[in-house]
Amino acid sequence: MGSLKNGRRFDLSLTLILSLIIGVMLLVWPIATSFSVIKIVGFLLLISGIVSLVSYLASPVGVLRVAGGVIIIVIGIVFIAMPGAVIWLISALIGILLLIHGYRDFKIAQTLQEQRVLAMAVAIVTIVLAVLLIVNAFAVWSIGLRLVGIALIIDALGDLFLGVKSKGFNPSEPIDVEYREK
């Protein structure tokens, strides 16, 4: 039982430390951190595509494996060479989706009898945020990642506080209570 408890403590400690480190990195260097993550994903894609091509050469079955491997390699190279373009593309796609939803919500708001002003205001805010996301992707991306960083730091500090305050608490064991009728 002691090793299980120590395992949980190690898991909690590792999660807490990683949350703090990633949270601080996102808070202090949001764009640089996202560039690094995008480049790492690019390298993983590149390796995956190369493995796919090599496995095809080892046993030439499935032409789609070659096409898929080449596409994955190209995407990996783009991620590595142009992480800023990846951020902009993701932001633009989200912005376009929000713009479509905002427009649709505005049209629906026009048909409402009750709460029309509130519904229109929400639709307009959605449209404005969508345009900001498309036009100024890096500023919005930076703000969003900083908020994620703050959330991770708060979560880590909450875990630390709960870990100190709840000595001996085992979430997998049932809590024993007595039932009394009033």
Side-chain angles (χ1 to χ4, degrees), residues 17 19 24 49 57 76 95 129 165:
I17 290 168
S19 290
V24 168
L57 292 175
L129 290 174
K165 292 293 183 184

Side-chain angles (χ1 to χ4, degrees), residues 114-136:
E114 298 177 21
Q115 307 279 325
R116 176 185 288 185
V117 174
L118 178 63
M120 286 183 138
V122 169
I124 290 170
V125 167
T126 302
I127 291 169
V128 168
L129 290 174
V131 170
L132 282 174
L133 195 55
I134 294 167
V135 172
N136 201 354

Side-chain angles (χ1 to χ4, degrees), residues 3-172:
S3 66
L4 185 63
K5 192 179 237 183
N6 289 338
R8 256 188 262 111
R9 279 196 183 133
F10 175 75
D11 183 45
L12 179 65
S13 299
L14 186 62
T15 304
L16 187 145
I17 290 168
L18 287 175
S19 290
L20 269 176
I21 290 170
I22 294 169
V24 168
M25 288 174 61
L26 288 175
L27 184 62
V28 178
W29 306 291
I31 299 297
T33 302
S34 61
F35 271 39
S36 297
V37 169
I38 289 169
K39 286 182 178 188
I40 290 168
V41 169
F43 279 114
L44 293 174
L45 288 169
L46 188 62
I47 291 168
S48 174
I50 291 170
V51 166
S52 181
L53 289 179
V54 168
S55 68
Y56 175 77
L57 292 175
S59 70
V61 177
V63 178
L64 287 179
R65 190 183 306 171
V66 173
V70 170
I71 290 170
I72 291 172
I73 288 172
V74 169
I75 292 172
I77 290 171
V78 168
F79 273 49
I80 294 166
M82 299 184 292
V86 173
I87 289 175
W88 180 84
L89 182 63
I90 292 169
S91 298
L93 290 174
I94 293 170
I96 290 167
L97 287 173
L98 284 174
L99 194 59
I100 292 167
H101 281 260
Y103 176 76
R104 185 202 63 197
D105 292 348
F106 189 80
K107 287 297 195 182
I108 292 171
Q110 290 176 330
T111 66
L112 295 177
Q113 297 300 321
E114 298 177 21
Q115 307 279 325
R116 176 185 288 185
V117 174
L118 178 63
M120 286 183 138
V122 169
I124 290 170
V125 167
T126 302
I127 291 169
V128 168
L129 290 174
V131 170
L132 282 174
L133 195 55
I134 294 167
V135 172
N136 201 354
F138 287 103
V140 175
W141 189 269
S142 177
I143 291 167
L145 289 177
R146 282 193 168 108
L147 291 174
V148 170
I150 290 169
L152 286 171
I153 292 168
I154 290 170
D155 180 57
L157 295 175
D159 286 349
L160 180 64
F161 174 77
L162 291 174
V164 169
K165 292 293 183 184
S166 63
K167 294 178 188 169
F169 174 69
N170 184 353
S172 64

